[in-house]
Amino acid sequence: MNRFVIAEPQRCIGCNTCMAACSEVHQAVGLQAHPRLTVVKVEDQTAPMLCRHCEDAPCASVCPVNAITHEDNMIFLNESLCIGCKLCGLVCPFGAITPSGSKPVNLPAVFDHFVPEEMLADVPASLPTTNPFLAWNAGIRAIAVKCDLCAFSDEGPACVKVCPTDALHLVEEDSLEEQMKARRLDSVMEPMTSLDDLSTLTQERK
C-alpha cells in the first residue's frame, strides 16, 4: 500500500502551522512554495486536506508527459517535467492538486532581452481570488503541486513534525495495524470513562 498523511479533525485547531511549514521546506529546496495541503473548515471543525497517494492514481493516468509516477510507495510528481496542463488536478478525487507558479529565481540576465518586464506591464493579470485552474499571468509558468511526503527530507513530512496537537499522522503499512488497535482501544475506553463519571456523579448526589 502507498504511504500517505491523514488528519484527525477532532485534534486540528486550524492554526495553519502545517501549511506554513510545507511552504517553507519546499521553497528551501527550490520547489514551488505553494503549500501541498489546505486547511478546510466545515461547521466548527477544521482539518488539512492533502493527497491520499491513491493506489490507482487517476492523476498519473491522465498525465500526458509521465510527470506523475508511482515510486517508493507514494505517488510522486516531478515539477521539472510538468507542463501545466492541469489535467491531474481536474481528475483528483480529493482536490489535492493545485496549479501554482512563480517567476524563475536567479534568471540569467541574458533572458531579460527577450521579454523585458515593461513589455508585459499592460498584460491583464488574474485577480488573487481567481480559481487557480482559471488563473493566467504573463511571465509565470503554473505547474501542478501536490504532497510528496517531503521525500527530500530524512525527517519525513514537515506538516506531521510541526503540528502542535498531533492531528497529522503518516500512515504506513507496517504502522497501520498499530494505529487501528489504538483507535479501537480509544473507542472502548471512552464509554467506560463516561460510565465512571456517571457513577461518581451518582455517588455524590447520594
Side-chain angles (χ1 to χ4, degrees), residues 9 11-18 39-41 45-48 164-165 167:
R11 294 188 177 186
C12 179
I13 58 176
C15 64
N16 293 338
T17 303
C18 53
V39 176
V40 297
K41 184 175 182 180
Q45 286 192 326
T46 59
T165 59

Side-chain angles (χ1 to χ4, degrees), residues 4-7 16-40 47-53 67 74-82 92 94-102 141-152 156-160 162 168:
F4 62 95
V5 174
I6 195 169
N16 293 338
T17 303
C18 53
M19 293 179 63
C22 180
S23 178
E24 182 179 350
V25 297
H26 283 87
Q27 189 173 23
V29 296
L31 297 172
Q32 290 295 327
H34 189 83
R36 273 68 178 163
L37 69 170
T38 303
V39 176
V40 297
M49 176 61 69
L50 66 168
C51 177
R52 290 290 191 272
H53 294 271
M74 61 177 284
I75 303 302
F76 178 73
L77 190 157
N78 188 326
E79 293 186 9
S80 297
L81 296 178
C82 178
C92 176
F94 298 101
I97 302 178
T98 305
S100 181
S102 59
R141 176 192 173 197
I143 61 175
V145 292
K146 65 175 287 296
C147 173
D148 54 9
L149 299 177
C150 295
F152 50 82
C159 57
V160 175
V162 303
L168 290 164

Side-chain angles (χ1 to χ4, degrees), residues 17 24 29 31 35 51 53 86-87 106 109 112 128 135 151 170 173 177 194 201:
T17 303
E24 182 179 350
V29 296
L31 297 172
C51 177
H53 294 271
K86 304 180 182 180
L87 289 175
N106 296 327
D112 291 338
L170 176 63
E173 190 169 10
E177 183 60 31
S194 299
L201 181 60

Side-chain angles (χ1 to χ4, degrees), residues 101-147:
S102 59
K103 293 184 178 180
V105 179
N106 296 327
L107 189 68
V110 65
F111 287 100
D112 291 338
H113 299 292
F114 291 97
V115 187
E117 287 196 11
E118 55 267 22
M119 293 181 62
L120 302 176
D122 60 345
V123 178
S126 299
L127 295 174
T129 55
T130 302
N131 185 296
F133 285 92
L134 301 176
W136 184 88
N137 294 292
I140 296 180
R141 176 192 173 197
I143 61 175
V145 292
K146 65 175 287 296
C147 173

